[in-house]
């Protein structure tokens, strides 16, 4: 088949983008992770960077922790977001819907940093919430609500909420009301309707929301770093430390590559379990 | 117009002086805030480009210079030598020597020690207070190498002496690491930079902290209960410098800025504001009374002698420390 | 259950409370941030010392309001500048991508499509470091072999633009593709049948049809770039963007000038988001 | 005979707009009852009130004698076949049909048996494990019905269930649906805007207009003896001529049309001497080249065009006078009229009994 | 008369599937030519080849004598009205109509004048600045046509342009479209799967089946003298009876149906003594309770149901014998047959000329 000039016009920038900015950098990441400089001398090929990861419990512990907490964050976000999405699409008065959508979207267009900062001044020991609780006599003295895992998860859930709600809203939107009416007409109560109609229908939205949220919390740096506190070492921080504090780019690359592999594998598993493909989910 | 890119610590380039410099020379100074690690990392990533002037600590220059070549040799002829305290200039030249060339000039100096709220923690005299369960939940320090070193001294070791002996140094650090892990429940948080700590001391969230001297002094102005204390096992002394990155574009402006900043009246503006001691010779007439009083209050003659000045850091040391710091952070 | 089905009062009330609580959760941190921008105190916390505009307008030296804060103002300019280029580049390339994946057939299309989706599953931090590494490798190579020092290949403005572009383009491609999917190909055939060539078809028919999607994805790209932190962190050079700059200040503690900046940011994004939303509604 | 559904003075307002306006009717057990009306006349609203999805503003609904007020949709002994069927795409055919039984927690073997029977009844035996998107339009139709019938509702409500099908399939499903209803004996309430569907399938048809029932009658009576001008115009093709009543007695009237033609016709409601009137004549009522008989009205028309359409062929013609009233005239295909071409002039006539007039304000 | 469009042995294969199979025809200037066939028979493919959107696998297309091979769609002197019209929603009516003229870089005042004229011609004068979504279905239709006509194409191609309209509007547009074509005189090539559209509008109709033309003829000839069994079955309603030829001469044959009924009928193609045959009898060809006349075939049937549908009413009946062949019989609404109810037995008959048979293999 003869190709038009337009085809090349479309292909060239896309290919340049994907090859130069996605493929090559990740190849380089892999290469870097397989090398190690010996002082001033020539760098050599080695698996030592990966060996370090597995030999040193702090590294893979952090790795596991990051993974488990990201999954937890994903599930909590889903549990909170699902009823909200359903409310906005199917329960709220139609004329309120546009406004609710705007309200849902707005906070997330504001820099993540500002949002985390807001939580910090809200929750810290000298923060607004403590101030209010003490002033109203509910608390005898301020307690630190920042710098613990629960708050960190809350922060991650907050940060990622939009990316769960939006796909859920759009998938709920495509659910024909008459399916729910029909189910009800055939005798189903709310629980049966959720179980047999809504959840199965929303599955693609749930999957894509979960993938994005999982990804975002796994790769998050700001939230664990700023409100995670003294115990909450996140794997991205460890990568940052290797790059910035220890100047060990090779080790950092190995960590980076492991994180990439982890996210890819978990997402793969998620897709397998729900029998979907990335292409479908992205639509 | 002409601009100069400055990579430095927060507070090292007061707006007032930037404006004055601009008025005098027409050069706009654009500042990027950073700390030692990030400064090095950044210059490494840019291979010494992007900035015209950086301000790392003197002990963190030679090893990275050897490995990455991110600075250019300092042309001391272009500096106004009489503006510098001679002993400091000599020490910095000495410590930043690579391949027979020196790479930095001193800017200011200070110490790390304890900042203590005397009302809540009257007993805190040495770094060991950071491990004292009496102050549970009210302790704060940076999870960075100075803390490791300080505790080593406090526990009776001399980490600087072990710089050459990787094995022994590793063992020492492992020991310190364990102590820190053990004492982790006492820690309120690991602070990352000055103002955040000041905030928590001010609000009473923290009573004992390891920090820079100026922080304690700043707080002392607001609340006399809080002050800087030179620890019994010795405050850690540092000198921050000027160093010119290898591919600086506007080297002229960099030298102009150094000479400008070291003029006594300008150096005094900085010191009065940030409370750090300056490496400027002849600054005294311009200093506030209170600033001079700070130093005298916190440092006895004995304390001054006990200050432990950082020697240049060898390359392998950072990796050893980095692992310990990660381990402490990750433990529960 | 849904609007058309009868539901009990308690069910509705509980549901409303839940959603109300959710929105409080959503807006609490923002509200507090905005409020404390007006507190007459050097610290962003309670107690309330009275109303002030210092954190917006004060010229120093004690308090520097955002209008006089050269350092923060510069980073806002840098961010806007970055976001402009990212929006421009990613909208252009993303639109090409949409055309490529929706309208062309070629071997390896499926694989290329998956590759295009990859940035969705690459953590931003990893994208940042891998681009940093690649730029460094290429920069060193060119420097060693040819002796050229290529500014583009080290942390700095353009590397930030490229880094953000590399994943934002995926979003643009998806948004424009979604609209292009709804495009009735027979419109193109009709235009050809009326004498237009392929280029004219795109100019007069397809692009006008895509316009709302292109505008709104440009707005989204702008916002995404403006608020990006993770990827930027590793690529930023001497010109820090606003999020990076704010991060350093939040980490290090700062005056309520951050609150003032946040307030302006919230209002600015709200205005932009609303405009793009209204625009896209008009088109429906 | 028992009454399955009784609706009394049912009223539904949306704000100030009255969608269903005081509608009353009864459907005896086992009947096929249709509600026929143009789009937007309130059919769906009426049906949804019966199913329980809308709450009436006034009036009562009783099913098998039991008042339905306050009973939620899932407790009513009626089931609804939705316009777009609303089959559950996430389930296969058998699961769709089993859905209601499962909700009743019937035992699995019972469910299996009943589902098989229901599918058998709609001629879909063995289709149980097909996915919904593997079915043709007509098959989906039948699954939707089976899904309701398996629950043995007292009344099955159907909301334009053939609307989405194409023409040929619709023709075929009309016949099948009626046959199915006869076989299972369940009472059907069927709404449609297609008069042919209503006429072909129903025992009784209610013609609805702007929220009201205009006439409830058998198909043949609707066609032959429409009670109102609306029914006369809506049910079946017809020519509508505007005129004025010259004379009127109990059964017949003499109407003079605007074109000046005097025509004797059956008199419907509201016909008064000297008043305005609408005259309805069906295309097939015209006799082309008639013999002059006493009760015949005849005029000369000029043929505009011959629309050959097999058994359904028509002449478009125009009264050959000043007003040039347009007429549509059925053209029998017995080759007698092959000489008629555009431009031909020909006499056409109709019997008094074949024309019907209603009183009408001149503005109508 | 000049030939506007000549198609010769046109062939289109998709892979191994032949969508258009050796089709040849000519359309003289100014004619309304329809192509009628069931869904999927290849109509659109044929039209798209003429418009230049598909490349033929073989054969030639010539327009006004010029071979079209290798000429891209935007250079062909034909225009296409798309099934879903494909009006440009981002432009107003006038811009839509002006689109082609602008592509030809005509001068702005000329464009303005021609657009106004074109809109006038389709009775949309003054609609120029309306947005597309402000138009009714029928108006959109006419804009789509004006947009093509303004370019003065040699041939206007129309791909089921009425398919998307609702029933009433479609009836009306049929008539209007034919009138418009007569007025402008442009050659129309019109495709549809609706036999009524093709019959009502066209000068000539090609009946297409599985990629081939079965018959090209006038509407009346198609209906009365179908050349193939497919045409007989597809054009107009009909009853199809399977049987075997007993005797056959040049014009007529004696067919014995499977139910054992002997019927004399016209003989179509492929009829041979002793061979299988298909017998076609239209519903309106049945005479209910006929007088016995020599060339009449009569049988007794049992009524299954009476489908009352006004002028279009039918009996569904079954031959009252062992095979029970199903028959659809037109039921005249002259009240003579009001006594027929389901279960009635009645004699029906048809004339030799009203029945037609074709040879058929038994498996057909
Ligand atoms: N929830 C509602 N709020 C306000 N008006 C409504 C509502 N539902 C229906 N209507 C109005 O009531 C009228 C009747 O609507 P309904 O759906 O019953 O008509 P219908 O006869 O079923 O029409 P169709 O044949 O088009 O389905 C319409 O004018 C509609 O606009
Ligand atoms: N691009 C194609 N590739 C493969 N097969 C095709 C293609 N286009 C059409 N066909 C096949 O060719 C046959 C004829 O298609 P075409 O669209 O011409 O039918 P049609 O007569 O227009 O039908 P309809 O009335 O449904 O529009 C169909 O079986 C169709 O599946
Ligand atoms: N390890 C050396 C510490 C140097 C500290 N410089 C302090 C600057 C604080 N603003
Ligand atoms: Mg309806
Ligand atoms: Mg087609």
């Amino acid at each position: 088949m003869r190709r038009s000039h337009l085809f090349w016009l479309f292909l060239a920038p896309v290919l340049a983008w994907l090859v130069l900015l996605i493929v090559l950098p990740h190849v380089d990441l892999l290469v870097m992770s397989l090398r190690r400089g010996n002082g001033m001398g020539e760098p050599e090929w080695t698996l030592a960077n990966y060996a370090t990861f597995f030999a040193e419990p702090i590294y893979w512990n952090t790795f596991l922790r990051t993974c488990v907490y990201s999954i937890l964050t994903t599930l909590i976000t889903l549990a909170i977001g699902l009823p909200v999405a359903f409310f906005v699409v199917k329960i709220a008065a139609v004329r309120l819907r546009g406004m609710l959508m705007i309200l849902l979207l707005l906070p997330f267009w504001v820099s993540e940093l500002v949002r985390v900062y807001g939580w910090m001044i809200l929750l810290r020991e000298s923060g607004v919430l403590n101030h209010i609780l003490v002033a109203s006599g509910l608390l005898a003295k301020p307690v630190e609500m920042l710098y613990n895992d629960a708050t960190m998860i809350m922060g991650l859930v907050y940060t990622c909420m939009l990316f769960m709600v939006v796909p859920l809203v759009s998938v709920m939107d495509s659910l024909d009301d008459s399916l729910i009416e029909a189910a009800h007409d055939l005798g189903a109560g709310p629980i049966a309707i959720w179980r047999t109609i809504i959840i199965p229908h929303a599955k693609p939205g749930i999957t894509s929301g979960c993938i994005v949220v999982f990804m975002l919390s796994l790769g998050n740096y700001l939230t664990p770093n700023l409100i995670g506190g003294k115990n909450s070492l996140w794997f991205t921080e460890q990568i940052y430390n290797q790059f910035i504090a220890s100047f060990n780019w090779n080790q950092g690359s190995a960590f980076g590559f492991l994180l990439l592999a982890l996210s890819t594998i978990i997402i793969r598993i998620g897709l397998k379990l729900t029998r979907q493909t990335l292409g479908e989910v992205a639509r | 117009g002409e601009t100069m890119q400055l990579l430095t610590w927060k507070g090292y380039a007061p707006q007032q002086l930037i404006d004055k410099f601009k008025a005098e020379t027409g050069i706009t100074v654009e500042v990027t805030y950073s700390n030692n690690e990030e400064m090095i990392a950044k210059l490494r990533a840019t291979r010494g480009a992007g900035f015209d002037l950086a301000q790392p600590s003197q002990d963190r220059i030679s090893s990275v210079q050897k490995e990455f070549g991110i600075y250019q040799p300092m042309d001391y002829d272009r500096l106004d030598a009489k503006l510098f305290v001679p002993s400091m200039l000599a020490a910095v030249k000495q410590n930043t020597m690579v391949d027979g060339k020196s790479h930095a000039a001193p800017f200011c100096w200070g110490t790390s020690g304890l900042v203590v709220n005397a009302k809540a923690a009257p007993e805190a005299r040495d770094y060991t207070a950071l491990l004292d369960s009496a102050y549970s939940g009210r302790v704060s320090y940076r999870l960075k190498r100075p803390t490791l070193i300080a505790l080593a001294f406090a526990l009776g070791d001399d980490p600087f002496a072990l710089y050459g002996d990787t094995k022994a140094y590793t063992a020492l650090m492992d020991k310190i690491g364990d102590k820190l892990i053990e004492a982790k429940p006492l820690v309120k948080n690991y602070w990352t930079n000055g103002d955040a700590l000041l905030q928590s001391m001010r609000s009473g969230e923290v009573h004992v902290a390891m920090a820079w001297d100026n922080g304690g002094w700043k707080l002392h102005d607001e609340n006399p209960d809080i002050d800087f204390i030179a620890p019994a096992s010795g405050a850690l002394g540092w000198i921050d410098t000027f160093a010119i990155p290898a591919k600086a574009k506007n080297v002229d402006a960099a030298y102009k800025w150094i000479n400008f900043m070291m003029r006594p009246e300008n150096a005094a503006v900085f010191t009065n504001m940030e409370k750090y001691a300056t490496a400027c010779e002849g600054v005294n007439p311009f200093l506030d009374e209170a600033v001079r009083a700070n130093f005298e209050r916190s440092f006895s003659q004995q304390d001054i002698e006990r200050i432990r000045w950082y020697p240049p850091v060898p390359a392998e040391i950072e990796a050893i420390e980095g692992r310990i710091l990660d381990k402490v952070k990750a433990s529960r | 259950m849904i609007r058309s089905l009868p539901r009990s009062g308690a069910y509705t009330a509980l549901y409303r409370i839940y959603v109300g609580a959710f929105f409080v959760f959503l807006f609490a941190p923002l509200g507090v941030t905005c409020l404390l921008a007006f507190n007459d105190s050097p610290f962003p916390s309670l107690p309330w010392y009275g109303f002030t505009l210092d954190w917006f307008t004060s010229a120093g030296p004690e308090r520097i309001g955002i209008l006089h804060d050269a350092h923060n103002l510069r980073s806002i300019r840098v961010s806007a500048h970055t976001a402009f280029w990212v929006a421009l580049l990613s909208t252009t390339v993303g639109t090409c991508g949409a055309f490529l994946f929706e309208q062309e057939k070629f071997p390896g299309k499926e694989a290329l499509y998956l590759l295009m989706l990859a940035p969705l599953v690459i953590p931003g931090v990893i994208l940042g470091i891998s681009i940093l590494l690649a730029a460094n490798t290429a920069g060193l190579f060119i420097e060693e072999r040819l002796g050229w020092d290529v500014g583009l290949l080290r942390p700095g403005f353009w590397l930030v633009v490229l880094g953000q572009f590399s994943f934002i383009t995926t979003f643009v491609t998806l948004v424009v593709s979604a609209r292009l999917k709804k495009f009735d190909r027979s419109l193109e055939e009709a235009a050809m049948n009326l004498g237009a060539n392929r280029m004219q078809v795109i100019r007069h028919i397809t692009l006008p049809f895509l316009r709302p999607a292109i505008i709104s994805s440009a707005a989204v790209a702008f916002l995404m770039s403006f608020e990006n932190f993770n990827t930027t962190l590793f690529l930023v050079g001497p010109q820090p963007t606003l999020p990076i700059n704010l991060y350093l200040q939040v980490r290090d503690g700062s005056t309520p000038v951050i609150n003032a900046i946040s307030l302006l940011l919230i209002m600015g994004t709200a205005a932009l988001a609303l405009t793009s939303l209204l625009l896209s509604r008009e088109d429906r | 005979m028992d009454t399955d559904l009784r609706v009394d003075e049912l009223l539904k307002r949306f704000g100030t707009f009255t969608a269903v306006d005081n509608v009353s009717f009864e459907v005896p057990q086992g009947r096929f009852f249709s509600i026929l009306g143009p789009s937007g006349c309130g059919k769906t609203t009426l049906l949804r009130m019966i199913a329980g999805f809308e709450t009436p503003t006034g009036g009562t609904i009783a099913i098998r004698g039991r008042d339905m007020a306050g009973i939620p949709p899932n407790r009513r002994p009626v089931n609804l076949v939705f316009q777009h069927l609303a089959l559950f795409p996430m389930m296969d055919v058998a699961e769709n049909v089993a859905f209601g039984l499962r909700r009743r927690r019937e035992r699995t073997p019972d469910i299996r048996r009943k589902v098989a029977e229901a599918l058998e009844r709609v001629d879909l035996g063995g289709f149980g494990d097909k996915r919904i998107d593997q079915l043709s339009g007509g098959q989906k139709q039948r699954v939707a019905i089976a899904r309701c019938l398996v629950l043995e509702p007292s009344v099955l409500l159907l909301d334009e269930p053939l609307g989405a099908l194409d023409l040929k399939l619709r023709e075929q499903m009309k016949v099948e649906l009626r046959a199915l209803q006869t076989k299972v004996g369940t009472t059907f309430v069927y709404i449609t805007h297609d008069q042919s569907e209503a006429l072909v399938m129903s025992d009784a048809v209610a013609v609805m207009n702007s929220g009201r029932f205009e006439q409830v009658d058998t198909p043949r009576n609707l066609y032959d003896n429409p009670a109102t001008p609306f029914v006369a115009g809506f049910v079946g093709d017809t020519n509508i001529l505007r005129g004025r009543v010259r004379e009127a007695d109990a059964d017949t009237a003499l109407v003079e049309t605007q074109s000046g033609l005097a025509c004797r016709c059956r008199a419907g409601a509201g016909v008064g001497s000297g008043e305005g009137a609408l005259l309805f004549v069906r295309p097939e009522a015209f006799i082309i080249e008639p013999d002059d008989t006493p009760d015949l009205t005849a005029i000369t028309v000029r043929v505009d065009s011959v629309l050959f359409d097999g058994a359904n062929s028509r002449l478009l013609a125009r009264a050959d006078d000043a007003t040039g009233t347009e007429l549509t005239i059925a053209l029998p295909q017995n080759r007698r009229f092959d000489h008629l071409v555009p431009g031909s002039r020909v006499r056409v006539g109709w019997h008094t009994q074949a024309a019907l007039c209603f009183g009408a304000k001149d503005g109508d």
Side-chain angles (χ1 to χ4, degrees), chain B residues 27-72:
Chain B
I27 300 172
T28 309
V29 177
E30 296 192 333
V31 187
T32 304
Y33 297 141
S34 192
N35 58 32
N36 270 328
E37 290 80 11
E38 287 171 8
M39 247 180 248
I40 297 166
K42 191 131 276 173
L43 288 173
R44 176 187 170 183
T46 63
R47 282 163 278 121
F51 297 93
D52 301 311
L53 187 59
Q55 299 205 261
S57 297
Q58 55 123 0
D59 55 310
R60 307 292 290 268
I61 294 177
S62 56
S63 72
V64 292
Q65 176 61 16
K66 267 186 217 133
E67 196 166 350
F68 308 120
I70 55 182
Y71 299 112
Q72 48 182 275

Side-chain angles (χ1 to χ4, degrees), chain A residues 24 27 34 37 72 131 161 181 184 200 205 221 246 259 281:
Chain A
L24 285 183
V27 170
L34 291 172
L72 191 63
H131 194 87
M161 186 55 75
E181 289 177 353
H184 187 72
Y221 177 79
S246 307
L259 188 66
V281 167

Side-chain angles (χ1 to χ4, degrees), chain C residues 53-251:
Chain C
L53 285 177
D54 278 0
W55 303 113
F56 294 90
T57 57
S58 172
E62 282 287 284
R63 290 178 176 183
I64 300 184
I66 173 65
L67 295 182
H68 297 275
D69 185 340
H71 191 239
N72 278 316
L73 284 178
R74 175 165 76 112
S75 70
I76 292 176
R77 272 198 307 277
V78 170
S79 277
H81 200 180
T82 310
F84 168 79
W85 282 106
V86 170
L88 189 73
L89 285 175
S90 60
T91 311
T92 312
V93 176
T95 305
C96 286
F99 273 102
L100 186 69
F101 292 116
E102 288 305 316
Q103 300 209 329
E104 301 286 345
K105 275 200 217 111
F106 55 96
K109 177 167 157 178
E110 275 307 301
L112 197 65
Y113 186 76
L114 279 182
L115 184 60
M116 185 275 290
L117 295 178
L120 289 180
V121 291
I122 302 175
V125 173
I126 308 296
L127 202 57
I129 60 173
S130 55
I131 289 178
L132 172 68
L133 289 177
N136 192 59
T137 307
L140 276 177
F141 180 84
I142 293 177
E143 203 170 317
E144 277 164 16
R145 294 295 160 92
L146 306 171
W148 297 341
D149 180 37
V150 186
L152 182 67
L153 292 176
R154 60 169 173 255
F157 180 81
W158 289 108
L159 208 57
V160 171
V161 169
L162 286 181
Q164 295 182 349
F165 161 85
S166 71
F167 74 95
I168 291 176
T169 307
T170 295
F171 285 86
V172 176
T173 307
L174 289 176
V175 171
V176 178
S177 291
R179 172 100 183 147
L180 199 51
K181 256 190 204 81
K182 293 195 200 124
F183 181 69
D184 179 1
R185 291 297 299 263
S186 68
L187 289 187
E188 288 183 353
E189 292 187 340
M192 278 199 183
N193 181 256
L194 294 168
N197 60 33
R198 186 85 198 276
M199 207 61 216
Q200 288 171 325
V201 169
I202 288 186
R203 189 163 146 241
H204 293 287
I205 309 294
T206 325
L207 282 182
F209 175 84
L210 291 179
R211 213 183 58 175
I214 291 178
I215 290 176
S216 76
S217 62
V220 169
F222 189 93
L223 287 171
M224 282 176 100
S225 157
F226 204 90
E227 72 123 25
N228 181 264
F229 177 84
N230 286 351
T231 304
T232 312
L233 182 63
F234 290 90
L235 301 177
V236 69
Q239 290 128 310
T241 61
L242 185 63
I244 298 291
N245 210 29
L246 286 179
Y247 168 71
L248 295 175
Q249 294 173 68
V250 169
R251 192 181 68 175

